[in-house]
């Protein structure tokens, strides 16, 4: 969605914009007025392999990346078709394979990611257990970059051979192209993760990419708002697009704790069967919501429990509501750690480890009852940027004018 919103903004400014992604996104992209080209693969499979249903070890992560790229023999042709006549290629963390096509065709590139992936002593985004502001953090970041390159070495070797390029090695950097550092747009706010003073001007923290205005209130949203109004305190629990085998069990454990403390709960509509089977006696305190923009109701909640995605973290902070993050993988551990270090909620819970029920109950209760989380959320909320999309488009326009 951030890349679709950016596309709409750039089209307004006179650019041509093509989204290359999975077929499941075609209808939404075209509804938003974007040109679309299909890339082989499946969104649910990507999330399942790399996040919820992987064991999240380094080996599993590397094997998963290589597996997904090598599984689809048409991927080379898909990428070639998508980028061949482009002037600039914008790619995110799982799309770096496009870098090699840019090298072949002399195309400019922009990297854009939802979490920091630069070398720094401040933190290690992929290894959040490292002591911050330390040499260990710096070395961990270097190691993660090399591991990512190593993970797809076989596919990269094949792609570069077909492109007629010299062989790649893991000591080369995806941060430079033709000897120049690549423009990098990070879709997060400095209030959540500070910018390293040693980074160059090509590294930009734009803030979260969202629509500048709230969308129209629908009848379904009105029903949701009435539910919130009927209850003194309401908690949102939702894990986005995460694909996890024990999802019902996870929701159930959280739900019992929240309801036991007298709160009402908003859950995703896909948990309807579990709710009807196990919580029929308290059904009036549970609302099953379809897609509703967070901006329309987060500020009316007591707190939120979620998967730690970049967009949800920023939405909760903008609404000044405390948050507890359940980590499925990837950058979620980093954002969970950042929320804890910034005082926005308890330490995150890692679902890949056996969940300690007493720890879960304690942290959910702490989230709802510890006033310091609310105070910190309110204090930092006023410092969050709301024009990240405009900032990103401005940077692109300055670097690559029409």
């Amino acid at each position: 969605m951030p890349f679709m919103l950016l596309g709409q903004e750039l089209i307004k400014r006179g650019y041509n914009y093509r989204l290359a992604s999975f077929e499941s996104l075609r209808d939404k992209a075209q509804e938003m007025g974007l040109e679309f080209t299909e890339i082989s693969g499946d969104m649910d499979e990507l999330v399942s392999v790399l996040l919820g249903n992987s064991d999240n070890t380094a080996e599993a992560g590397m094997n998963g990346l290589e597996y997904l790229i090598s599984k689809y023999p048409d991927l080379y042709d898909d990428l070639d078709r998508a980028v061949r006549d482009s002037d600039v290629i914008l790619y995110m963390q799982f799309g770096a394979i496009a870098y090699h096509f840019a090298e072949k065709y002399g195309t400019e590139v922009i990297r854009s990611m939802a979490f920091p992936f630069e070398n720094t002593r401040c933190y290690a985004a992929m290894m959040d257990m490292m002591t911050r502001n330390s040499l260990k953090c710096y070395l961990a970041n270097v190691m993660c970059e090399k591991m990512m390159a190593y993970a797809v070495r076989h596919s990269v070797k094949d792609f570069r051979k077909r492109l007629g390029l010299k062989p790649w090695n893991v000591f080369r950097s995806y941060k430079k192209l033709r000897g120049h550092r690549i423009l990098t747009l990070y879709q997060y706010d400095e209030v959540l993760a500070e910018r390293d003073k040693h980074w160059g001007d090509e590294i930009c923290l734009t803030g979260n990419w969202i629509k500048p205005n709230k969308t129209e209130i629908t009848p379904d949203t009105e029903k949701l708002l009435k539910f919130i109004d009927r209850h003194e305190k309401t908690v949102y629990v939702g894990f986005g697009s995460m694909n996890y085998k024990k999802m019902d069990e996870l929701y159930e454990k959280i739900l019992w704790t929240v309801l036991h403390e007298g709160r009402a709960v908003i859950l995703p509509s896909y948990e309807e069967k579990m709710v009807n089977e196990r919580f029929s006696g308290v059904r009036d305190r549970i609302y099953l919501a379809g897609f509703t923009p967070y901006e329309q109701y987060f500020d009316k909640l007591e707190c939120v429990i979620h998967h730690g995605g970049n967009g949800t973290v920023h939405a909760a902070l903008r609404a000044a509501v405390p948050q507890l993050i359940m980590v499925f993988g990837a950058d979620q551990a980093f954002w969970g750690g950042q929320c804890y270090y910034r005082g926005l909620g308890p330490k995150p819970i890692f679902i890949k480890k056996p969940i300690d029920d007493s720890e879960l109950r304690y942290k959910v209760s702490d989230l709802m009852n510890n006033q310091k989380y609310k105070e910190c959320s309110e204090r930092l909320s006023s410092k969050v940027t709301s024009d990240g999309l405009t900032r990103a488009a401005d940077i692109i326009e300055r670097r690559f004018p029409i």
Side-chain angles (χ1 to χ4, degrees), residues 226-237:
K226 288 179 180 178
F227 173 84
I228 295 172
D229 288 341
R230 285 199 304 271
H231 299 89
E232 184 179 354
K233 296 179 179 180
T234 304
V235 177
Y236 169 82
V237 183

Side-chain angles (χ1 to χ4, degrees), residues 67-98:
Y67 164 76
L68 288 173
I69 294 174
S70 62
K71 178 180 178 179
Y72 297 98
D74 294 333
L75 185 59
Y76 176 92
D77 292 330
D78 294 340
L79 288 168
D80 190 58
R81 182 182 65 255
V83 308
R84 182 181 283 270
D85 61 348
S86 301
D87 298 304
V88 182
I89 300 172
L90 168 67
Y91 65 82
M92 48 87 78
Q93 56 262 38
F94 295 127
I97 202 80

Side-chain angles (χ1 to χ4, degrees), residues 14 26 53 56 97 111-112 127 129 134 136 157 166 169 212 259 262 281 351 357 365 369 391 393 402:
R26 178 187 295 274
N53 290 329
N56 206 32
I97 202 80
R111 301 160 69 229
S112 184
M127 295 184 179
M129 74 294 295
S134 68
K136 286 183 178 180
K157 179 181 178 180
K166 293 180 180 179
N169 65 72
L259 293 170
I351 67 157
D357 290 351
S365 179
N369 297 302
R391 290 185 179 196
I402 296 176

Side-chain angles (χ1 to χ4, degrees), residues 232-302:
E232 184 179 354
K233 296 179 179 180
T234 304
V235 177
Y236 169 82
V237 183
F239 305 118
S241 58
M242 295 300 97
N243 192 331
Y244 178 53
K245 295 174 183 175
K246 298 181 180 179
M247 192 66 84
D248 284 355
E249 179 183 338
L250 179 61
Y251 274 115
E252 183 180 7
K253 289 180 178 181
I254 296 171
L255 203 51
W256 278 122
T257 301
V258 174
L259 293 170
H260 179 73
E261 299 215 13
R263 270 65 169 185
V265 188
I266 298 171
L267 290 181
S269 56
Y270 60 71
E271 285 300 320
E272 181 175 11
K273 181 179 179 182
M274 183 275 292
V275 168
N276 290 339
E277 289 177 352
R278 306 174 196 178
F279 294 92
S280 58
V282 287
R283 190 64 179 78
D284 61 319
R285 287 201 282 140
I286 302 172
Y287 188 94
L288 296 165
F291 174 75
T292 306
Y294 295 146
E295 283 71 28
Q296 295 186 344
Y297 68 98
F298 261 25
D299 59 350
K300 304 180 187 304
L301 303 176
E302 180 183 28

